[in-house]
Structure formats: C-alpha cells, structure tokens
Amino acid sequence: LAQALPQLVSSARGPSSTLAMALRLASLRRFCSKPVPLGLPSQSSLKASFKSFGDSVKGFKAGQYFEEKYFWEKANVGPFFLMLLFTPTIYRSLKDAYWTRQLRKMNTEEIISDRYDWLKVSMIQDEVEAELLKQVPSGGIQPLQLGAASPP
C-alpha cells in the first residue's frame, strides 16, 4: 500500500479523492480476515466465535467466579461491574417502557369508552327532541308577549 500510494495520488482523478479511496481501502483491509485456503477451517469464522462463546457460557461456575481470590485476580470482572452499574438504568428503562405501554392501552380504552358515552348521550338527546317535536301544536308555538300589544 505504501508503494501504491504515490501512484494513486498522482492519478488523473485528483489527489484528494484518490487519497481518500486509498485510506478507505487500507482501513477496510484492516477489518478483513486473512485468507484461508479452501478446505481448511477458518480461525475467525462466525461459527467458531459462537462455539467459543457457548463453551464459555457453559463453563461458567458462579461459586468459582465469586470466590474472592479468583474474582479479584483471575476473573474478568468488567461485565459484572458494568451490569452492577447499569442495573438501575436498565430497570428504570424497562419500567418506563412497561408503564408507557399500559397507559397508552388505557388511554385507548378511555377514548373508546368516552365515544360510547357521547353516543349514548346523543341518542338520548335525539329521543327527547323527537318526543318534544310530537307535542308541538299544529300552528307552532306562539311567541310570549309581556304587556300590551300596542303602545298607549
């Protein structure tokens, strides 16, 4: 890569874009695994990493892990203390998520209940208005007049 860099910089596309591409290529190669000939098992395969993780979980013994000498001298205590540190935050987040969901559900139920109540009240009002309209005289209701009909 160091030998190809000057040639890439003097490329026809321009030095800045070519240099960026070379650096991208170099960073990409850093994360790539080394090639393994066909037929040989890869050391960094996903299957091997899951198998090693499974073996480490199966081999965990709480009694040995929390024994004082092993815990402070040999054990990987990082995950334990991170879990201890973040337990209140995780608990609070899960509790907030639970109550948000429950209140959203209750809010929906209340909205539906309110709509049924509104519908019931509206139906009663319609029935009352219909009964009142049946009682109206044929000429309509005469306006109420207070005092004399004409001025003195």
Side-chain angles (χ1 to χ4, degrees), residues 24-78:
R24 230 179 283 132
L25 179 66
S27 65
L28 182 65
R29 288 193 68 206
R30 177 180 298 163
F31 293 112
C32 293
S33 61
K34 294 181 180 178
V36 177
L38 290 175
L40 294 178
S42 173
Q43 296 298 326
S44 63
S45 72
L46 187 62
K47 191 176 190 180
S49 65
F50 275 121
K51 184 175 182 186
S52 68
F53 176 73
D55 291 341
S56 67
V57 169
K58 287 178 186 174
F60 177 76
K61 294 179 180 131
Q64 177 190 7
Y65 183 80
F66 288 108
E67 183 182 323
E68 186 174 0
K69 184 172 180 163
Y70 182 83
F71 185 79
W72 291 115
E73 293 179 6
K74 297 178 185 175
N76 181 10
V77 294

Side-chain angles (χ1 to χ4, degrees), residues 86-152:
F86 288 115
T87 295
T89 305
I90 294 168
Y91 172 76
R92 201 172 307 122
S93 299
L94 291 174
K95 185 176 75 169
D96 289 346
Y98 171 78
W99 283 113
T100 301
R101 182 181 169 113
Q102 292 296 53
L103 290 174
R104 193 173 290 148
K105 185 178 173 184
M106 187 177 74
N107 192 22
T108 304
E109 290 172 357
E110 283 180 357
I111 289 171
I112 292 170
S113 175
D114 288 346
R115 288 181 182 170
Y116 277 116
D117 291 343
W118 172 84
L119 181 62
K120 183 179 176 183
V121 168
S122 295
M123 289 171 60
I124 291 172
Q125 284 178 348
D126 290 343
E127 289 177 11
V128 168
E129 287 176 4
E131 285 299 317
L132 288 175
L133 285 176
K134 288 180 186 175
Q135 297 175 4
V136 173
S138 62
I141 298 174
Q142 299 301 320
L144 181 63
Q145 219 172 19
L146 296 176
S150 59

